[in-house]
Amino acid sequence: MASSNDNKSTEGGFQDGNSDPNDEETNELCPGFKDVDAFVKYGLGAVLSATKASAGLPQAGDDYDFYRSFPGFQEFCESQGDKLLHLMSQIMQHHGCRSHMRDRNKLTGLEERFDLVVDSNDTILERAGILLDEADGVNRSQQPVMPAGFQPPKIVVSSWNRKGSGSGSRPETFRLLHAKNVARPQLKFKEKVDNSNTPFIPKIFIKPNATKPLPSYFTNKQIRKERPEDLDVPAALADFIHQQRTQEHVEDMFAHPYQYELDHFTTPENLLSKPEVQMYKPMAETKCSFIDTLEDLVALNEKLCKLSEFAVDLEHHSYRSFLGLTCLMQISTREEDFIIDTLELRSEMYILNEAFTDPATVKVFHGADSDIEWLQKDFGLYVVNLFDTHQASRALNLARHSLDHLLKHFCNVDSDKRYQLADWRIRPLPDEMVQYARTDTHYLLYIYDSMRAQLLEFHHGQPGLLQSVWNKSKDISLKKYLKPIFTEESYLELQRKQKKSFNTQQLTAFRLLFAWRDKLARQEDESTGYVLPTHMMSKISEELPKEPQGIIACCNPVPPLVRQQVNELHLLVQQAREMPLLKVSKDGCQQWAYVLSLFGPHDTSRISAAFLKELETKSDQTSLSVAHMKASRIIESFENPFRMYLPPSDVHINKNAKFDPSSKIFEISKRWKLQSIEQQHKELEAKRKAKEEAKEQAKKVSGNGGGGKKRERVASEVGESTPKPSKKLMKSADKPQKTEPPSQESFTPFDYSQSDLSVFAGTKSKSNTQFDPNRQAPDFKKKKSNFGAGNRSMSYMAGKSERGFRHNWPKR
């Protein structure tokens, strides 16, 4: 309510800004308040004081129950509550809501009042939102300009289509002007649209302003159409068949008809000099002619041939046609504007080739890249001596290169782009759309003169920069229209643009849906976006619905052809679901790459062993270079980071574990401490050398001469490579020594036993008094054997020490 009063007061302020100051009292918003700001400040203060007072009341609970027991407090609460309900009822009644807040049933009164408050809040807030939209310039009640008999359009409001407000004016929005019941203009065409999956062949059959004559293939085109055997064959296919029959060159069939003329075209000198900028006429004083008959088109062509320059622009429609339709052509001269109904004169537009291909006449376009292709596709028109203001804008390094910016920069004209999304098939055209179409070309010749002058000034009077713009414009004239051709790999390019990772089933569904959409769009002459938008096709491929209702659920809104063909789409999805999930096609690894991207480039845990064997056999068959072998080793290191800890040979790796990372890690954890056989031999030799050194130290310690000879003999036996003879000698010596009484004198030297322990330890220390429990057990065994050894216990000890060393070595 306050916002609505705000709008009314502001509007009243604009109207009465120059009124007499004595009338201020009569223009008050309400008694005591001069304007809305004073009323809002007072209201905020009142709300703030009421909030503070309510916070000071007793809280629900014991305090409130205590104060409620006093009759005075109870009467005060009831009176204030009635006043609040009365005020709320008045506010609700003002906004058109139910306002019976009082006299409610005591049992359900609280719930009913709460529901009334919620509904009223929703209504008031919605109304406040509408008023805020109107304050921002979005007037929902404003009706667009529409021809009689058409339904009102939907207003599309967003940040992309909001026209910036100028000097205090309200911002405007673009309108999507369309009509649901437009008759399809393709039905009236004399020459049917060719949507076949064959290359585009130029429509030209007469070549005016020709330096090189048109090939005979194009000149006999009218006669070829009358061949009875090709009546049931599409035109493009009939052309190809005829070309094969007559053995003509394919270069003539698909070449640019004016390739020779454009290659040998040189810009005249007068176009490279500084021009005289001619001011444009106001649109109100310029005559505008609507051309929709053959006689008017011929008269227009005669006028254009006499001119030195004219401006051209096209209006195109691509949503309800597979290849698109050129619906309108605008041509402007220095004195007059023309608008041609190309839907009505589609088959006669070739007449303008005489003016469009005249090298003495400059044709001014803005952004002619698409216009050149549309002229070739629909009318067979070609352009010689083209000047593109978009290329000139890029050469001048302007802030922006759009036609809107050029109009504002050179002509100080704000173009009205409310109809840029309009359906140009509408007939008759509204006056607003005609004015919009005229604006695109009316000022273009003045911009052409101004930009030529600036290009020369920008380059200090030299024509180099201007010549580059002419050359780039000539390159645009050499462009050829290429019809979209469906192939088996066409879907891959579109799928890459989606930036989604599909498995084989999803990719198969995307491929089948892409082929179905292309086929149906060609048959019905509808765009692929109308048949099935790309984002919906991607959604269906990703979800793979099991029921037809699931396909409908993936589309919002549902395209009409999808609703008609939902059963066929369901069969395609079922066909995709039957594909193996990890099957790779024979035509390469393209499909395999999409599967791997689901789990990462180095994750091979989900790959079957059979497929890995196939890859290994394929890699073995092909000879790998050094770079490929390095790359394979790097990839293997990523697959198994523990490979560096393994021995160089694959002896310890199980075949089953080769394809199972978990078992690899298990084996590596058990075997990482194992060493190679060569290292084991080296350790064995080192221990033998340490043993010999210990024997030499034992010789020095012992003082017995006889025992020294025996030790020398035993030492020589120990040094031999074959220890078997020494074992036999020890066995023969044991038998007679058992009958002899034991000698206690042989155990008296303590140093000998210590040297014997050092032999088992493999150390070089002469004396070690530290107790070692690991050496204690073999020491007792030696003592027991020495009791029956007699005087030859030293030689027996040497033999036993060697056998004990070999027996105890594996335990270490």
Side-chain angles (χ1 to χ4, degrees), residues 128-365:
I130 294 173
L131 295 174
L132 289 175
D133 289 341
E134 292 181 358
D136 290 339
V138 184
N139 190 357
R140 299 183 181 180
S141 61
Q142 182 179 355
Q143 297 296 331
V145 179
M146 288 292 296
F150 293 108
Q151 298 179 358
K154 297 179 181 179
I155 301 175
V156 181
V157 179
S158 184
S159 59
W160 60 269
N161 68 346
R162 186 179 300 282
K163 182 179 178 183
S165 58
S167 58
S169 61
R170 288 188 176 183
E172 299 180 0
T173 56
F174 302 151
R175 286 170 178 77
L176 183 60
L177 184 60
H178 67 286
K180 297 182 179 180
N181 300 323
V182 174
R184 293 174 63 84
Q186 300 96 312
L187 302 177
K188 299 179 181 180
F189 293 164
K190 296 179 181 179
E191 183 179 355
K192 300 303 179 183
V193 179
D194 181 23
N195 295 328
S196 60
N197 195 31
T198 54
F200 174 76
I201 301 174
K203 294 185 175 184
I204 187 172
F205 60 94
I206 297 176
K207 186 178 179 181
N209 304 309
T211 305
K212 180 181 178 180
L214 191 68
S216 60
Y217 171 78
F218 297 103
T219 58
N220 298 331
K221 195 170 186 180
Q222 298 294 335
I223 302 175
R224 184 195 64 248
K225 291 183 178 179
E226 299 175 358
R227 293 196 304 271
E229 65 271 15
D230 294 337
L231 292 178
D232 297 334
V233 181
L237 187 57
D239 295 341
F240 184 75
I241 294 173
H242 178 67
Q243 183 269 339
Q244 293 294 329
R245 289 173 182 173
T246 56
Q247 298 298 322
E248 294 181 4
H249 297 290
V250 181
E251 290 80 5
D252 295 338
M253 190 174 179
F254 301 106
H256 195 289
Y258 284 87
Q259 178 82 34
Y260 182 83
E261 286 76 9
L262 288 170
D263 289 341
H264 293 79
F265 173 76
T266 56
T267 307
E269 292 296 333
N270 62 333
L271 298 179
L272 296 176
S273 59
K274 187 173 182 179
E276 295 181 2
V277 180
Q278 301 183 25
M279 191 63 184
Y280 55 86
K281 285 186 176 182
M283 290 186 64
E285 301 176 5
T286 305
K287 180 183 178 182
C288 180
S289 302
F290 189 80
I291 309 297
D292 58 353
T293 61
L294 181 59
E295 292 78 10
D296 295 340
L297 186 64
V298 173
L300 173 62
N301 182 59
E302 294 177 356
K303 289 181 181 180
L304 296 178
C305 291
K306 299 176 183 179
L307 300 175
S308 59
E309 68 271 333
F310 59 87
V312 186
D313 191 30
L314 302 177
E315 301 296 341
H316 192 261
H317 177 82
S318 60
Y319 184 62
R320 296 303 304 272
S321 175
F322 182 74
L323 299 177
L325 301 172
T326 303
C327 303
L328 212 66
M329 178 186 288
Q330 306 96 271
I331 296 178
S332 293
T333 66
R334 302 282 184 180
E335 304 294 333
E336 194 174 358
D337 296 332
F338 301 93
I339 296 192
I340 306 173
D341 187 359
T342 56
L343 296 178
E344 189 70 24
L345 301 173
R346 181 184 176 90
S347 59
E348 287 83 14
M349 290 294 295
Y350 68 91
I351 298 174
L352 295 179
N353 254 335
E354 184 178 0
F356 275 61
T357 59
D358 187 0
T361 306
V362 179
K363 276 69 65 176
V364 183
F365 284 76

Side-chain angles (χ1 to χ4, degrees), residues 650-720:
D650 295 336
V651 178
H652 300 289
I653 300 178
N654 191 6
K655 292 183 178 179
N656 296 327
K658 190 174 183 180
F659 306 107
D660 190 1
S662 61
S663 63
K664 276 186 180 180
I665 297 173
F666 177 77
E667 273 198 34
I668 292 168
S669 63
K670 296 295 182 182
R671 297 177 180 270
W672 71 276
K673 293 183 180 181
L674 295 180
Q675 299 173 344
S676 62
I677 299 175
E678 296 179 358
Q679 294 177 350
Q680 295 177 5
H681 283 298
K682 290 180 180 179
E683 290 184 0
L684 182 60
E685 292 176 0
K687 290 181 179 180
R688 285 180 179 178
K689 290 180 180 179
K691 177 182 172 182
E692 291 175 0
E693 293 176 359
K695 289 295 183 182
E696 292 176 359
Q697 294 177 1
K699 292 178 185 178
K700 298 178 181 180
V701 174
S702 62
N704 192 354
K709 294 180 181 180
K710 292 179 182 179
R711 284 194 297 273
E712 288 177 2
R713 178 177 57 80
V714 174
S716 63
E717 292 175 357
V718 173
E720 293 176 357

